[in-house]
Amino acid sequence: MSAAAPSKSGFFDCRDSFAATIEALAEADPRIVTVVSDSVGSSKLGNFRKKFPDRMVNVGIAEQTLVAVGAGLANGGKVPFVSAASCFITGRALEQVKADIAYSNVNVKLIGQSSGVAYGELGPTHHSIEDLAWLRLFNNMKLIVPADPWQTAEAIKAAAAHDGPVFVRVSRMAVPALERPEGAKFEIGKAETLVEGTDATIIANGTMVHRAVAAAKTLAAEGISARVVNMATVNPLDEAVIASAAETGAIVTVEEHSVRGGLGGAVAEVVATTNPVPMRILGFPGFVPTGSAEWLFDHFGLNEAGIADAVRQTIARKK
C-alpha cells in the first residue's frame, strides 16, 4: 500500500490514506465494495473505480438511497464502505442510518468525508459539526475520528475487520504525521497518550490533536505539565484513560465539532458520574459563519493559543 504523499509543508490529506487503504483491503477481500453519491473525486476513489469498476455503486446525489443501498449490500454478504460528505451522509440520511444500519445492526462502514468545517467557504449547510452528536445515540455504532494518515489507515483496517456498523470521520484538511513510539497500534475503543503530564489533561481527536500537542509544548515552556490524549474513538470511549486524566485535576477537551454532544459531551458524562474535576469543552458553540477553516479555528479559539489559554483557566479552577 502506498503512503499518502506529504505537501511541501509536510502535512498530509487523510483522504489519500483512506483511498490507498481501501484499495489494498479490496485486493485481499472480494467482499469489499464502495458506494458513493457522486463523491468519487472528493473521496479520492478514482483509482479504486479503475481497479474495481464492478465493485463501486454510484447512486448520484441521493444520500438516503446511498445508505439504503449500503445496507442492502451488507445483507447480501458484502462489506460496503459508504462514502460521502459527512454533513449529508449523517444529516440527510439520518433516518436510514438509524433504521437500516444501526437498528438492523448491519455490517456497513460509513465514511464521513470532509467533516467539520472543511467546506468552510460553503457555509453552515456544508459544515458537519453535529454528526458525532447524532450518531453517538446509536450505542452499537463505532465512531472513529482519526488524527493523521497512519491512524486513518489503521482505522479503516479496524473498521473492515469489525463485524457491525462503523462510522469513520475523515477530514480533507491537511494534518502532520504524529510522533509515536515504534510498534504503536490502533485499537477501537483505546486512546493513546501522546504527551505525558500531571497538571492537566487535554483530550482531543481529529484535526485538533496536533494543535493540542503544540499547546502542550507552549505550556511546558511556562512550567505547566499538560498531558495530551488522542481519543480517536468516540464510541466506545476509553473510560480508563478518562479516569486517569481526572487524576490530573483538570480536563480540557477540544474537537472540530459542536460543544454539544460530541467528544466533550461524552467525556463529561464519564467525568461527572465518576470523578468530577474542573473541565472545559472547546469546540463550536452553534452554527458557525462562512469562512475558511483556519479562520474559523482562530475565531473560536481552536488553535494552539486558545487551547493553552483554556488549560490555564481550567487549572485555575482546581480546588
Side-chain angles (χ1 to χ4, degrees), residues 163-236:
D163 184 15
V166 181
F167 174 78
V168 183
R169 199 179 197 240
V170 180
S171 178
R172 69 190 295 135
M173 286 184 286
V175 293
L178 298 168
E179 293 184 9
R180 293 181 175 87
E182 191 168 345
K185 296 180 180 179
F186 172 80
E187 183 180 344
I188 294 174
K190 297 296 182 181
E192 61 176 348
T193 299
L194 298 174
V195 180
E196 294 290 350
T198 56
D199 295 328
T201 301
I202 307 168
I203 301 177
N205 61 18
T207 58
M208 293 294 112
V209 174
H210 75 275
R211 292 172 170 85
V213 171
K217 291 179 180 178
T218 294
L219 292 165
E222 303 170 12
I224 298 173
S225 175
R227 184 181 305 175
V228 177
V229 171
N230 174 15
M231 189 70 70
T233 309
V234 178
N235 186 44

Side-chain angles (χ1 to χ4, degrees), residues 251-264:
I251 295 175
V252 173
T253 63
V254 56
E255 60 194 306
E256 188 190 351
H257 187 272
S258 169
V259 295
R260 298 171 180 83
L263 173 65

Side-chain angles (χ1 to χ4, degrees), residues 85-87 112-119 126-129 131 145 167 169-173 207 256:
S86 192
C87 57
Q113 300 281 2
S114 304
S115 53
V117 294
Y119 283 130
H126 283 63
H127 294 159
S128 186
I129 61 173
D131 49 3
V145 188
F167 174 78
R169 199 179 197 240
V170 180
S171 178
R172 69 190 295 135
M173 286 184 286
T207 58
E256 188 190 351

Side-chain angles (χ1 to χ4, degrees), residues 139-159:
N139 65 298
N140 62 326
M141 181 170 287
K142 311 303 183 188
L143 305 180
I144 309 173
V145 188
D148 69 354
W150 175 84
Q151 194 165 61
T152 300
E154 294 303 304
I156 297 303
K157 294 175 192 175

Side-chain angles (χ1 to χ4, degrees), residues 50-64:
K50 289 178 183 177
K51 283 187 175 182
F52 311 104
D54 59 342
R55 291 164 66 182
M56 172 180 282
V57 179
N58 189 342
V59 302
I61 303 176
E63 284 79 12
Q64 293 167 324

Side-chain angles (χ1 to χ4, degrees), residues 21-107:
T21 305
I22 196 68
E23 287 173 33
L25 290 171
E27 291 276 7
D29 188 346
R31 299 175 303 154
I32 290 179
V33 297
T34 57
V35 190
V36 296
S37 55
D38 274 1
S39 49
V40 177
S42 60
S43 297
K44 299 291 187 89
L45 288 174
N47 202 49
F48 184 99
R49 180 171 59 184
K50 289 178 183 177
K51 283 187 175 182
F52 311 104
D54 59 342
R55 291 164 66 182
M56 172 180 282
V57 179
N58 189 342
V59 302
I61 303 176
E63 284 79 12
Q64 293 167 324
T65 301
L66 174 85
V67 172
V69 167
L73 288 167
N75 283 326
K78 301 297 184 183
V79 181
F81 280 75
V82 179
S83 181
S86 192
C87 57
F88 300 131
I89 201 173
T90 56
R92 184 172 292 164
L94 189 59
E95 181 182 1
Q96 283 69 33
V97 172
K98 173 187 174 182
D100 297 348
I101 296 179
Y103 175 70
S104 300
N105 198 35
V106 295
N107 193 28

